[in-house]
Amino acid sequence: MAQQKSDSVTTEINRLRDEINRFNYQYYVLDDPTVPDAEYDRLFNRLKSIEDEHPSLITPDSPTQRVGGEPLASFNTVAHEKPMLSLDNSFADADLIAFDKRLKDRLGLQSDIEYACEPKLDGIAISLLYEDGLLVRALTRGDGLNGEDITANVRTIKTVPLKLYGHDFPQRLEVRGEIFMPKAGFAALNEAARVAGEKVFVNPRNAAAGSLRQLDSRITAKRPLQLCAYGVGIHEGQALPEKHTDILYRLKRWGFSPNDQLQTASSIAQCIEYHQALGEKRERLAYDIDGVVFKVNDIERQEELGFVSRAPRWAIAYKFPAQEEMTTLDAVEFQVGRTGSITPVARLAPVFVGGVTVSNATLHNRDEIARLDVRIGDTVIVRRAGDVIPQVVAVVQERRPPDAAEIVFPSQCPICGSSAAEVPGEAAIRCEGGLICPAQRKEAIRHFASRKAMDVDGLGDKLVEQLVDKSLISTVADLFTLSREQLSGLERMGEKSADNLLAALAASKKTSLERFIYALGIREVGEATARNLASHFGQLDALAAADEQTLQTVDDVGPVVAHFIRDFFVEHENTDIINRLRELGVNWPEQEVAANTDKPQPLAQQTVVITGSLESMSRDEAGDKLRALGAKVAGSVSKKTSFIVAGPGAGSKLSKAEALGVKILDEDALQALLSEHEGA
């Protein structure tokens, strides 16, 4: 019986090792990972757990005894003078508390330990060797003992100093850090690949790895890579500070860039607070992180604690919930949006990703499905970052079942049965039923009542569903004819709730022209375009009467948007609804068309786009301040854009601005600009 158990354990260990080695080869050698990090972590931790229980079965070639995968044969292999070890992982506060207790026990301490706290960047570990202040070699981590010599590629990265600043550095210095690709650069790289019909990268880490392993360093030079220094391997000829954080600040003096979120914590409780705070701002950072690294800050204590076979005892990584996970695509359903666009939605086997359980994900459109080559029954990788809608980002082709079915788009609207037509020049298909389609009616009403449109407090999705399904409303104008009796008879709507909603509807009747234009739901007319239209025409009747040529004189309105606006106002059903809304009391003050020339307009004739999040003010407030100085604030970037204001979390707009060579200001530069002109 014991022999059978031993054989079973050996079989399980061999299976795990084979699978992990294969994933390592795909991830590190081929730059083509087939499973998310969370799946790899589970397999690795399972193997380590079994080996801990059966230490006699540990062999030197086990993945737990080394880091990463084999170096690429096309690069020279060089031995690290000091091994580049990995870190043990923790996934809960309790793990971190246990880590702290182990260290105190080993050091014989009763007092708290000071830790260095740094974000764990999702990039590629790198070793940079400097001799007499000059960069002489750059190695990847490789298997931890041997790395790939990629010096020619690393020399092209602007944040890697080729010569150290100052004169007080060691004669020989090995700096260790992470090569990564910022989110904005990743978005721009993938957009360029899509335009060229090339394969896109799954995530910034994969893009950074692929960029570093280019045999032609001229290709690497075009990639938006950066270096973040996180430590020192060897140093000869000059003593270094006694604390890890002070070493990083010394590296900064010599020309490196430690992480801007670097802090110290005087206890493990403060480490937990740091982890929580960084998790809350994770999505606003300009780069991807997958956790936090905590290191004993005192170098002498680090040396006393030493190492285990593959990791230092004095450091640990506290991972965030995985942003990517693996699950199966069980079915595809089609949803109809406000403008009739029919969108495929993946129905997934529920999976915990990004801190929540996900069972649905967007597949975007037909082109995206073709690019992914995704089919029903496939094992897929799902990504969810912050509040971003979950999306399928890759297919694990090797796990495709023989009965996987192709995704077929409907020829008729799944809601109303009207024809579903292809749109020239677009990947979308649209329902041609218009407002006879209940789905489009519901979405149009939701949009009309939303906060940035008419702002009807209390009119949620479920209530809109009931109102349309019970035929109490069929257009947005019907909202203002609802009675207390009709509302109070609905599910979860008593008399008080009905009165509150009626009061909110009455209050919403007094609005602004720009809000009303936005609320109408004209295709491609967002908040900024609605504001520009209101400012340009001043009156709704003037806008409704404008031809396409006149509409194109408005900033941020091109031929396509002008066509959509004109089509909207020539449709009698739309104008009838607008007239009825006015008769029911919806009103707004007319606007002055001409700018106020009594006040200085230093930014007149300049077009600005605001993207990302700002800390000192909201984007609306920033837009108002810029308009007060004469600027036009647009919703999209084009060649006409004078500059963009980009805060943390800026995405495709920042990428497009970089591609077009548009001037980019951060929040500090915006404040300086406003201070300069507001005081003039």
Side-chain angles (χ1 to χ4, degrees):
M1 191 74 177
Q3 181 63 42
Q4 289 181 345
K5 182 176 181 181
S6 176
D7 290 344
S8 175
V9 170
T10 301
T11 300
E12 174 73 354
I13 283 178
N14 289 335
R15 183 189 69 79
L16 288 167
R17 287 175 181 171
D18 288 344
E19 197 160 8
I20 290 169
N21 285 331
R22 179 161 54 87
F23 291 152
N24 274 337
Y25 180 80
Q26 293 166 342
Y27 196 100
Y28 291 101
V29 179
L30 300 182
D31 293 328
D32 188 23
T34 59
V35 296
D37 291 346
E39 174 72 5
Y40 180 94
D41 289 342
R42 274 194 292 271
L43 294 171
F44 190 96
N45 290 333
R46 170 65 178 156
L47 175 61
K48 188 173 185 301
S49 175
I50 296 175
E51 289 182 346
D52 287 345
E53 292 177 11
H54 306 276
S56 63
L57 298 179
I58 297 176
T59 60
D61 63 345
S62 172
T64 63
Q65 304 304 298
R66 63 175 188 164
V67 181
E70 297 178 0
L72 289 171
S74 51
F75 289 104
N76 291 331
T77 301
V78 179
H80 291 294
E81 295 182 43
K82 183 178 181 179
M84 290 188 72
L85 302 181
S86 186
L87 296 174
D88 283 334
N89 291 327
S90 61
F91 300 92
D93 292 354
D95 298 335
L96 210 59
I97 293 169
F99 163 76
D100 181 65
K101 185 178 185 302
R102 288 197 302 273
L103 299 193
K104 287 178 179 177
D105 290 346
R106 183 171 284 272
L107 293 169
L109 289 177
Q110 297 297 322
S111 58
D112 286 326
I113 297 172
E114 182 181 72
Y115 292 96
C117 314
E118 306 166 61
K120 185 177 182 297
L121 271 70
D122 202 6
I124 308 300
I126 198 81
S127 161
L128 305 171
L129 181 62
Y130 290 81
E131 294 182 351
D132 296 322
L134 298 177
L135 176 65
V136 297
R137 190 181 67 203
L139 302 179
T140 63
R141 172 182 284 163
D143 64 1
L145 299 176
N146 302 282
E148 307 150 4
D149 188 338
I150 55 171
T151 308
N153 288 348
V154 169
R155 288 177 65 89
T156 69
I157 301 172
K158 292 182 175 61
T159 50
V160 175
L162 302 180
K163 180 179 180 180
L164 301 182
Y165 294 111
H167 304 284
D168 61 342
F169 44 76
Q171 181 182 0
R172 296 185 82 240
L173 175 70
E174 181 206 5
V175 177
R176 294 181 173 183
E178 199 88 0
I179 301 291
F180 67 98
M181 186 174 292
K183 294 175 183 176
F186 170 71
L189 180 65
N190 267 357
E191 181 61 28
R194 288 190 187 94
V195 171
E198 300 170 354
K199 179 182 177 181
V200 299
F201 290 99
V202 173
N203 53 47
R205 193 238 179 257
N206 183 230
S211 300
L212 277 179
R213 289 177 172 83
Q214 294 292 328
L215 295 177
D216 186 348
S217 62
R218 291 172 298 182
I219 297 176
T220 306
K222 297 177 182 178
R223 301 286 174 83
L225 299 172
Q226 294 185 20
L227 166 72
C228 175
Y230 62 64
V232 168
I234 59 173
H235 59 96
E236 300 172 3
Q238 177 75 34
L240 292 179
E242 298 177 351
K243 291 193 173 183
H244 173 73
T245 49
D246 291 337
I247 290 174
L248 294 184
Y249 295 136
R250 184 71 59 86
L251 290 178
K252 186 173 183 178
R253 198 167 82 195
W254 293 334
F256 296 93
S257 299
N259 193 275
D260 56 2
Q261 303 294 320
L262 173 67
Q263 291 184 19
T264 58
S266 60
S267 66
I268 205 67
Q270 287 190 6
C271 289
I272 293 171
E273 291 174 2
Y274 176 91
H275 181 270
Q276 181 178 351
L278 194 64
E280 291 172 356
K281 67 166 68 171
R282 181 183 184 187
E283 297 310 319
R284 300 197 300 273
L285 297 175
Y287 42 82
D288 271 354
I289 61 174
D290 57 6
V292 175
V293 176
F294 297 109
K295 301 173 185 175
V296 172
N297 204 25
D298 187 289
I299 300 300
E300 186 176 342
R301 284 181 174 171
Q302 286 187 9
E303 293 172 352
E304 184 179 349
L305 289 165
F307 303 83
V308 290
S309 60
R310 60 175 292 274
R313 288 194 179 95
W314 42 265
I316 194 167
Y318 188 175
K319 302 291 282 289
F320 290 129
Q323 290 187 304
E324 291 183 354
E325 268 293 1
M326 194 164 60
T327 187
T328 55
L329 174 59
D330 293 337
V332 173
E333 296 180 4
F334 293 90
Q335 293 183 344
V336 182
R338 173 172 54 85
T339 62
S341 178
I342 299 176
T343 304
V345 177
R347 302 304 184 195
L348 308 167
V351 61
F352 193 75
V353 55
V356 300
T357 299
V358 170
S359 56
N360 303 319
T362 180
L363 287 169
H364 296 292
N365 52 47
R366 187 159 38 193
D367 287 356
E368 182 70 358
I369 287 172
R371 184 187 71 78
L372 291 169
D373 185 24
V374 61
R375 301 179 188 180
I376 297 169
D378 274 340
T379 296
V380 297
I381 296 174
V382 180
R383 180 175 177 82
R384 180 187 182 274
D387 294 328
V388 176
I389 298 171
Q391 57 184 318
V392 174
V393 296
V395 175
V396 185
Q397 295 283 355
E398 63 186 44
R399 297 194 182 187
R400 171 167 286 169
D403 59 346
E406 291 190 5
I407 298 169
V408 179
F409 273 68
S411 58
Q412 293 180 310
C413 173
I415 304 299
C416 70
S418 298
S419 296
E422 295 184 13
V423 180
E426 296 183 19
I429 62 172
R430 295 187 186 276
C431 166
E432 295 186 316
L435 289 179
I436 70 167
C437 177
Q440 292 186 60
R441 284 205 301 270
K442 291 174 183 176
E443 290 301 323
I445 292 165
R446 288 188 184 106
H447 174 79
F448 182 84
S450 63
R451 183 175 62 84
K452 294 184 177 181
M454 298 298 286
D455 192 18
V456 182
D457 188 34
L459 188 59
D461 291 353
K462 296 293 185 184
L463 184 53
V464 171
E465 292 271 351
Q466 288 190 73
L467 291 171
V468 174
D469 290 345
K470 293 180 180 297
S471 301
L472 294 178
I473 60 173
S474 59
T475 74
V476 294
D478 294 334
L479 288 169
F480 299 100
T481 67
L482 290 169
S483 67
R484 186 189 195 199
E485 291 72 28
Q486 288 174 314
L487 291 171
S488 59
L490 297 174
E491 183 181 345
R492 297 185 181 180
M493 280 290 289
E495 291 184 354
K496 185 175 180 180
S497 297
D499 289 341
N500 289 339
L501 179 57
L502 290 173
L505 284 164
S508 73
K509 289 182 180 181
K510 188 173 183 179
T511 186
S512 66
L513 179 57
E514 64 186 59
R515 276 180 171 270
F516 186 76
I517 294 171
Y518 175 64
L520 292 175
I522 305 169
R523 278 186 67 189
E524 302 298 330
V525 175
E527 297 169 68
T529 303
R531 187 180 297 116
N532 291 338
L533 290 168
S535 177
H536 184 91
F537 290 103
Q539 299 178 357
L540 186 67
D541 292 342
L543 168 61
D547 58 26
E548 291 186 28
Q549 186 174 356
T550 303
L551 288 166
Q552 290 182 57
T553 64
V554 180
D555 191 59
D556 205 28
V557 175
V560 173
V561 178
H563 179 71
F564 289 151
I565 295 170
R566 189 66 197 137
D567 273 2
F568 181 88
F569 283 107
V570 298
E571 175 59 54
H572 292 304
E573 186 175 74
N574 292 331
T575 56
D576 288 344
I577 291 172
I578 291 172
N579 291 334
R580 190 158 173 247
L581 285 167
R582 283 172 149 172
E583 292 169 0
L584 289 166
V586 176
N587 68 96
W588 54 87
E590 303 292 358
Q591 293 189 198
E592 291 289 334
V593 176
N596 184 356
T597 55
D598 294 336
K599 298 177 69 174
Q601 300 283 299
L603 300 184
Q605 308 306 314
Q606 294 202 39
T607 300
V608 185
V609 173
I610 306 172
T611 183
S613 59
L614 304 178
E615 294 183 359
S616 61
M617 67 188 87
S618 68
R619 293 199 304 193
D620 287 343
E621 290 171 333
D624 289 342
K625 289 176 180 290
L626 289 165
R627 288 186 202 92
L629 297 173
K632 295 180 179 178
V633 180
S636 58
V637 178
S638 70
K639 293 179 180 179
K640 296 179 181 179
T641 305
S642 306
F643 64 89
I644 77 165
V645 177
S652 59
K653 292 178 183 177
L654 175 59
S655 305
K656 188 171 183 180
E658 290 173 331
L660 293 174
V662 173
K663 183 179 179 180
I664 300 168
L665 302 185
D666 60 14
E667 188 166 356
D668 289 341
L670 171 64
Q671 289 281 23
L673 178 70
L674 294 175
S675 297
E676 174 189 353
H677 292 305
E678 286 175 342

